[in-house]
């Protein structure tokens, strides 16, 4: 039930049904939004790419056809605009990707919106392919000097949006810090005219550039500079006419009347107002032109050539649009997608990209009415890759095959894309076709060219590093990672991370663990390591939370915090007796009230259970890698566990109820003392300041006896991911149905690991609070879209200490993924 994209709807005058798809520059995870209209309701549908069958539909309450949809930079807010001039701002309710509400709105009554954009926040990065071999992330991904469209006091960017209407108005809405909305409208120029198509771009100086056309290829494409300011608490808009252009095809005698309508008008990137893409079409074909704004010298009349030149005087210059390149006659274009990856297009970067066959960010996609998609080079417009559409690819035939043409003619209207968008790293294309189906297509980093394995790994590693540094989701990069690549990618990513300076390593410490966990899930050989990485995320979070409770005894605090002193003393003191280590600490810094300690008991219990699990499984770590193997040589993590055991031991003297409980076979068994002694022996084998050693036989023998001394817990606290990414590693397309969860087996050939399987009657876990929710939980829950971590939506705790823990995960999961609400029956 999806037919026309909003830009095409203006040409076809078919307001009853339309669709638009868009993907946000999400700071956390990948979302797709598209709209569907019937005569009854105007619905907006939002999905996340890991669970594409789980659609959240909103009745938008728009009275006319929605013409524009735009995500903000974070992917947590969405703008929708319609044919009646209404603009609505949607935001996540309770930070859930499947719960949205309209919080703000503005309108230009009766004036349809043709272009819409959020104001620029001043953040612009450049990705340098030339520096892909550098060890410094700052050289690979550099911050470009770029001014926000509007700033508050102190240079903070002001939030807001800008829209262009069909009558030639530009309207701006600014969101003040208190929540109030400042709105103003202004004509683009004195002589207002019809605007059929428009697009919005930004300049480094903080200005806005609007391109507009009345839809006729014989009319000029006009450009306007828009400056937004706030004067006396009121929004002010100033506009200025910039150089315009006429399409090349209208000046060509052979094509003058051939393509009467301009169907697509887009700036190549939203931060580059000096390059624009134009598509002119007729009923059966299209032509695409790429133009560039250049500064040229103004010729001077001969009369003035012989006068004596003034010292320092330069030749006058003028800005003029010049055509870069144009295509030959094409099939009729139905949709255009432009790359979002901010690849540097300097001559050196382009040469290195060409030599290494690194194509992401260099290609733009054109969808045609015959169902095919072509990816063209963004500057030269030569073809880089072709997708022939599901109507022909399902039988392996090409459009030239006679049988395919016959089948296409007799089978009704051809399947073709009405809307198309690149993912953030340009490695995937999302699109909606005219039959209402949502498609996700892989786009090869080398555009199908055969590469050596090392080069392929280097390309994927480069993009993973980009996602890690910027915070954008790496879901589309995982589409191209084969199970055999996982181990090498994880190792190389760790090597690159360790080469960064200490400050950057601290910033990226948890993000790299989340990336490694995502990678390891793609292969059955490394799935056990994914468990370890998730456990490490939880360990880091619990450690920082428990240390934050420590307070210095006196106000004139020394340089080091109590947490830092605890780390230093535990690192120096290698005694296996926990009480002897504890004597060296100032116990007054550990004095807390009873309620905080008691409320954190389930986190303390997790630490004790995890130490017991690790030690009990030490003898089982052989040729088959089991969960916990990653910690056996991780001196930093073992040291962290050792510190927490010391901290818990001290707290246990103050409040025995907060201690972890163990089921022991002997009444006089000191479980904490036993675990600390064995953990210290294991830690001494893998300390950072000494060469690594294998655990000695006596340690392994003692660990073998542990299950007979203490009841070893299960691994049911690990989250189970039910997303689609692990099922996409094969070559065959995956067909899914909206509203029906995928039950297909994983992409690997082997059966899933035991730790990832749950029997129907097993206890459900709250993975963040580390508590059991029962076999059939009645509480509403939320799950992470990336790792599958489940936690209760509403807090059952009243104490401040536990609320502080829960507040850390209001917006994001441990791994940085977004939350989605899951009903009680699906928990």
């Amino acid at each position: 039930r999806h037919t026309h994209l909003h830009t095409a709807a203006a040409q076809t005058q078919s307001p009853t049904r339309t669709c638009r798809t868009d993907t946000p520059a999400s700071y956390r995870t990948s979302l797709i939004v598209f709209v569907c209209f019937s005569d009854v309701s105007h619905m907006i549908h939002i999905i996340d790419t890991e669970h594409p069958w789980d659609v959240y539909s909103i009745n938008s309450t728009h009275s006319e056809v929605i013409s524009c949809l735009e995500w903000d930079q974070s992917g947590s807010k969405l703008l929708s605009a319609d044919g009646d001039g209404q603009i609505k701002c949607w935001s996540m309710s309770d930070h859930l990707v499947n719960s949205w509400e309209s919080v703000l709105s503005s309108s230009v009554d009766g004036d349809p919106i043709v272009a819409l954009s959020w104001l620029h926040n001043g953040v612009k990065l450049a990705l340098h392919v030339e520096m892909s071999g550098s060890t410094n992330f700052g050289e690979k991904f550099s911050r470009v000097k770029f001014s926000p469209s509007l700033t508050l006091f102190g240079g903070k960017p002001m939030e807001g949006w800008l829209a262009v209407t069909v009558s030639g108005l530009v309207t701006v809405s600014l969101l003040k810090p208190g929540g109030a909305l400042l709105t103003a409208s202004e004509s683009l120029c004195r002589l207002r005219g019809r605007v059929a198509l428009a697009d919005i771009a930004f300049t480094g100086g903080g200005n806005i550039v609007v391109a507009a056309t009345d839809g006729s290829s014989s009319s000029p494409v006009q450009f306007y500079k828009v400056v937004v300011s706030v004067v006396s608490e009121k929004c002010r808009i100033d506009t200025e006419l910039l150089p315009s252009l006429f399409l090349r095809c209208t000046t060509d005698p052979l094509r003058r009347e051939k393509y009467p309508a301009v169907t697509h008008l887009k700036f190549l990137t939203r931060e580059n107002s000096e390059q624009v893409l134009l598509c002119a079409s007729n009923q059966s074909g299209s032509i695409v032109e790429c133009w560039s704004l250049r500064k040229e010298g103004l010729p001077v009349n001969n009369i003035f050539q012989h006068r004596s030149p003034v010292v320092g005087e330069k030749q006058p210059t003028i800005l003029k649009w010049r055509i870069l390149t144009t295509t030959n006659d094409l099939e009729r274009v139905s949709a255009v997608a432009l790359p979002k990856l901010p690849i540097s297009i300097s001559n050196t970067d382009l040469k290195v990209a060409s030599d290494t066959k690194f194509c992401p960010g260099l290609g733009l996609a054109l969808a045609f009415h015959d169902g095919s998609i072509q990816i063209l080079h963004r500057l030269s417009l030569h073809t880089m890759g072709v997708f022939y559409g599901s109507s022909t690819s399902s039988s392996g035939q090409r459009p030239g095959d006679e049988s395919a043409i016959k089948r296409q003619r007799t089978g009704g209207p051809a399947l073709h894309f009405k809307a198309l968008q690149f993912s953030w790293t340009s490695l995937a294309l999302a699109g909606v076709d005219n039959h209402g189906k949502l498609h996700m297509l892989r786009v090869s980093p080398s555009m199908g060219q055969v590469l050596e394995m090392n080069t392929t790994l280097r390309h994927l590693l480069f993009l993973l590093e980009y996602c890690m540094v910027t915070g954008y989701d790496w879901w589309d990069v995982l589409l191209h990672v084969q199970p055999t690549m996982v181990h090498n990618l994880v190792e190389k990513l760790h090597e690159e991370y360790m080469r960064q300076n200490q400050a950057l390593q601290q910033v990226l410490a948890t993000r790299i663990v989340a990336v490694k966990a995502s990678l390891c899930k793609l292969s059955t050989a490394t799935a056990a390591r994914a468990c370890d990485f998730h456990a490490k995320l939880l360990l880091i979070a619990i450690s920082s939370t428990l240390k934050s409770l420590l307070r210095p005894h006196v106000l004139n605090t020394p340089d080091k915090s109590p947490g830092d002193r605890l780390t230093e003393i535990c690192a120096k003191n290698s005694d296996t007796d926990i009480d002897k280590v504890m004597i060296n600490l100032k116990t007054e810094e550990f004095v807390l009230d009873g309620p905080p300690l008691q409320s954190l008991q389930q986190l303390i219990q997790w630490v004790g259970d995890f130490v017991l699990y690790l030690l009990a499984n030490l003898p089982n770590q052989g040729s088959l890698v089991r969960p916990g193997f990653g910690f056996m040589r991780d001196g930093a993590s073992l040291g962290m566990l050792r510190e927490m055991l010391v901290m818990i031991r001290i707290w246990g003297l103050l409040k025995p109820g907060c201690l972890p409980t163990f089921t022991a076979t002997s009444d006089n068994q000191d479980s904490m003392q036993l675990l600390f002694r064995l953990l210290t022996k294991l830690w001494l084998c893998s300390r950072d300041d000494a060469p690594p050693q294998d655990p000695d036989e006596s340690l392994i023998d003692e660990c073998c006896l542990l299950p007979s001394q203490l009841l070893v817990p299960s691994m049911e606290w690990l989250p189970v991911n039910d997303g689609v990414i692990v099922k996409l590693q094969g070559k065959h397309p995956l067909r899914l149905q909206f509203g029906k969860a995928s039950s297909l087996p994983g992409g690997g050939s082997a059966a899933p690991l035991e730790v990832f399987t749950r029997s129907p009657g097993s206890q459900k876990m709250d993975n963040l609070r580390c508590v059991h929710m029962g076999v059939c939980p009645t509480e509403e829950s939320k799950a992470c879209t990336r790792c599958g971590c489940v936690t209760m939506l509403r807090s059952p705790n009243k104490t401040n200490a536990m609320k502080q823990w829960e507040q850390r995960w209001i917006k994001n999961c441990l791994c940085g993924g977004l939350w989605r609400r899951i009903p009680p029956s699906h928990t």
Side-chain angles (χ1 to χ4, degrees), residues 14-83:
S14 174
T16 54
R17 298 177 182 177
T18 185
C19 81
R20 161 87 195 246
T21 182
D22 203 1
T23 50
S26 167
Y27 202 69
R28 293 170 289 275
T29 191
S30 299
L31 300 175
I32 297 175
V33 60
F34 58 98
V35 294
C36 160
F37 301 111
S38 64
D39 299 330
V40 184
S41 62
H42 296 176
M43 304 296 292
I44 299 176
H45 306 292
I46 298 176
I47 67 171
D48 75 90
T49 51
E50 260 295 75
H51 306 85
W53 54 83
D54 187 10
V55 186
Y56 182 70
S57 301
I58 313 168
N59 188 344
S60 67
T61 68
H62 280 288
S63 57
E64 292 290 335
V65 169
I66 295 180
S67 52
C68 302
L69 285 171
E70 288 294 327
W71 291 102
D72 75 335
Q73 233 3 44
S74 70
S76 59
K77 289 182 182 175
L78 176 69
L79 291 176
S80 62
D82 67 15

Side-chain angles (χ1 to χ4, degrees), residues 395-646:
S395 60
Q397 291 170 317
R398 295 291 176 259
D401 298 343
E402 189 177 346
S403 58
I405 295 170
K406 286 179 181 177
R407 186 172 62 254
Q408 191 171 316
R409 286 173 180 167
T410 57
L415 192 71
H416 61 272
F417 289 94
K418 301 301 297 182
L420 207 59
Q421 283 284 334
F422 269 110
S423 65
W424 196 245
T425 61
S426 303
L427 292 186
L429 270 172
V432 180
D433 66 25
N434 56 329
H435 291 180
K437 293 179 182 177
L438 180 68
H439 300 255
M440 180 68 75
L441 310 176
R442 282 191 187 95
V443 181
S444 164
S446 62
M447 217 56 73
Q449 301 174 81
V450 179
L451 297 180
E452 292 180 1
M453 180 58 77
N454 284 340
T455 309
T456 303
L457 287 173
R458 196 163 67 244
H459 289 175
L460 294 175
L461 181 68
F462 189 38
L463 293 171
L464 283 172
E465 291 168 352
Y466 168 74
C467 292
M468 196 168 68
V469 170
T470 59
Y472 288 117
D473 193 33
W474 53 90
W475 186 89
D476 52 339
V477 183
L478 299 181
L479 290 174
H480 301 270
V481 177
Q482 295 303 313
T484 53
M485 302 177 183
V486 171
H487 178 75
N488 285 337
L489 273 178
V490 170
E491 295 302 315
K492 290 179 183 296
L493 191 65
H494 182 74
E495 287 173 14
E496 293 298 319
Y497 167 79
M498 294 305 293
R499 290 173 180 168
Q500 309 311 308
N501 61 54
Q502 198 65 34
L504 186 56
Q505 283 189 28
Q506 287 188 353
V507 171
L508 303 178
T510 53
R511 203 174 288 164
I512 187 173
V513 179
V515 176
K516 289 177 181 177
S518 299
L519 286 167
C520 287
K521 285 178 183 173
L522 302 180
S523 169
T524 51
T526 55
R529 296 187 66 188
C531 305
D532 294 348
F533 289 129
H534 184 274
K536 189 169 183 177
L537 287 171
L538 191 54
L539 173 63
I540 293 169
I542 292 176
S543 174
S544 60
T545 299
L546 295 184
K547 284 182 179 178
S548 70
L549 297 174
L550 305 180
R551 294 289 181 270
H553 184 55
V554 288
L555 290 177
N556 54 338
T557 58
D559 295 337
K560 290 180 180 175
S561 67
D564 291 337
R565 277 203 300 278
L566 171 67
T567 302
E568 186 179 8
I569 289 169
C570 288
K572 288 180 180 176
N573 193 329
S574 58
D575 204 303
T576 57
D577 189 332
I578 191 169
D579 295 324
K580 289 183 180 177
V581 177
M582 191 174 67
I583 290 171
N584 297 311
L585 294 167
K586 295 179 181 178
T587 50
E588 60 268 19
E589 294 178 341
F590 292 78
V591 176
L592 301 175
D593 295 331
L597 287 176
Q598 192 62 50
S599 65
L600 293 170
Q601 198 277 331
Q602 63 257 35
L603 301 183
I604 293 171
Q605 182 69 47
W606 180 88
V607 174
D609 285 347
F610 188 63
V611 171
L612 175 54
Y613 174 85
L614 280 183
L615 294 170
N617 278 275
L618 176 60
N620 298 328
Q621 298 294 350
S623 57
L624 179 65
V625 174
R626 297 171 184 270
F629 178 79
F631 285 87
M632 301 307 173
R633 295 293 178 89
D634 187 352
S637 297
L638 294 174
M640 206 182 295
L641 285 168
R642 195 166 168 268
E643 294 163 22
M644 283 192 279
L645 287 184
V646 173

